[in-house]
Amino acid sequence: MKGTALVLGSGGLTGVGWEIGMIAGLAEAGVDLGTADLVVGTSAGSIVGAQLTSGRLGIEELYERQLVDPRGETVARISRRLISRYVWAAARSHDVQGYLLRMGHIARTARTAPEAERRAAIAGRLVSHDWPEQRLLVTAVDAENGEFTVFDSAAGIGVVDAVSASCAVPGVWPPITAGGRRWIDGGVRSSANADLAAGYERVVVLAPVARGGGPVPAPRTQTAELAAAGAQVVLITPDQASRTAFGRNVLDPARRAGAARAGRAQSAAHAEQVRAVWCG
């Protein structure tokens, strides 16, 4: 088996803050997840993964960025009606592929902000627009045929396009066009996509969204499969204090700072377990 893998799951802006807070807290405790041989990023996790592997800013600098005043940032929301459509799509789907096709339809038919506007917003959040030397995988789903895809530096599209695609929440943000195809959030296939760390010996999974549902596997299911294959795995999900910090709208930038602080505080409870796995 290969070395270390860090899996960063989906979870909106609060998920970005929580993951970076967790990484910063663990680094302070002497465990640097930024040294991962592989980083897997899905949706919010793709932003964190791209920032972490860029080499442009240290972990403390990334953490401080989560605490800045969010005024001027767009506040989005997953409405109750949209949630109902997600639930309907899951209930009508007998397998993951059927669910992804339905989610693609939701994304293609929704009225959203212009694609260029959304891409510019993502570009502004990234500290580098180049693929890192470190191995970074970014997940997305084809909005037309439901194909799950993993982008990396060899994919032929830029990292801004890849991350924008991975963050294209169906019904909230527009599908992103890249490589002649339209893409949506990789989190519709799995909130963590931890199975992409198969073959790695030591794996840490940060999953702001702990649950699965219908045909979508929960992170706990995927990490159990990694462990069964021989990997040492730590799965960390938000504790009660972190969930309270997230609030009801994970896409509200005003909640990001609180989520970052909560993630950093929660890290103390996991430091020894993570150290035992990460440092061998």
Side-chain angles (χ1 to χ4, degrees):
M1 299 181 80
K2 290 171 274 190
T4 55
L6 173 62
V7 177
L8 301 164
S10 61
L13 293 177
T14 58
V16 171
W18 180 81
E19 289 178 351
I20 290 180
M22 181 67 66
I23 293 167
L26 290 170
E28 187 177 28
V31 186
D32 185 3
L33 297 182
T35 62
D37 296 306
L38 170 72
V39 177
V40 177
T42 292
S43 198
S46 71
I47 293 177
V48 178
Q51 291 177 337
L52 185 65
T53 59
S54 70
R56 298 288 180 86
L57 297 177
I59 293 173
E60 280 300 321
E61 292 174 293
L62 293 175
Y63 177 74
E64 290 299 324
R65 281 167 58 98
Q66 305 310 301
L67 309 183
V68 300
D69 191 325
R71 280 181 292 185
E73 293 189 51
T74 300
V75 180
R77 182 179 296 275
I78 301 176
S79 67
R80 290 184 178 181
R81 181 175 180 274
L82 183 55
I83 292 173
S84 295
R85 295 188 71 188
Y86 289 173
V87 172
W88 177 88
R92 293 289 300 272
S93 303
H94 300 295
D95 54 28
V96 174
Q97 183 66 18
Y99 179 66
L100 299 185
L101 287 169
R102 288 183 169 87
M103 293 298 278
H105 176 76
I106 290 172
R108 297 194 315 272
T109 57
R111 293 184 179 181
T112 64
E115 184 178 335
E117 180 180 309
R118 179 57 178 164
R119 186 187 183 282
I122 295 296
R125 291 197 177 114
L126 300 184
V127 296
S128 172
H129 293 175
D130 298 318
W131 283 99
E133 293 183 10
Q134 199 169 351
R135 184 155 171 71
L136 172 65
L137 304 182
V138 175
T139 67
V141 171
D142 189 304
E144 300 287 344
N145 63 21
E147 178 187 351
F148 176 66
T149 299
V150 180
F151 297 122
D152 61 12
S153 60
I157 73 168
V159 70
V160 173
D161 284 334
V163 173
S164 298
S166 192
C167 292
V169 181
V172 176
W173 304 117
I176 297 298
T177 304
R181 299 164 73 178
R182 302 179 75 198
W183 306 98
I184 60 173
D185 196 323
V188 300
R189 187 256 190 180
S190 162
S191 67
N193 291 301
D195 56 322
L196 295 179
Y200 281 77
E201 182 181 9
R202 290 167 281 151
V203 183
V204 172
V205 180
L206 304 184
V209 178
R211 63 187 180 277
V216 179
R220 193 168 304 280
T221 300
Q222 293 183 325
T223 54
E225 291 171 351
L226 292 175
Q232 298 181 64
V233 187
V234 177
L235 168 64
I236 304 177
T237 60
D239 61 11
Q240 182 58 57
S242 293
R243 293 194 298 272
T244 299
F246 291 179
R248 295 185 176 182
N249 183 10
V250 300
L251 300 179
D252 183 353
R255 290 281 182 174
R256 182 175 53 222
R261 293 188 181 98
R264 187 160 199 158
Q266 184 185 342
S267 69
H270 304 279
E272 289 305 317
Q273 183 187 19
V274 174
R275 181 181 291 107
V277 167
W278 200 252
C279 302

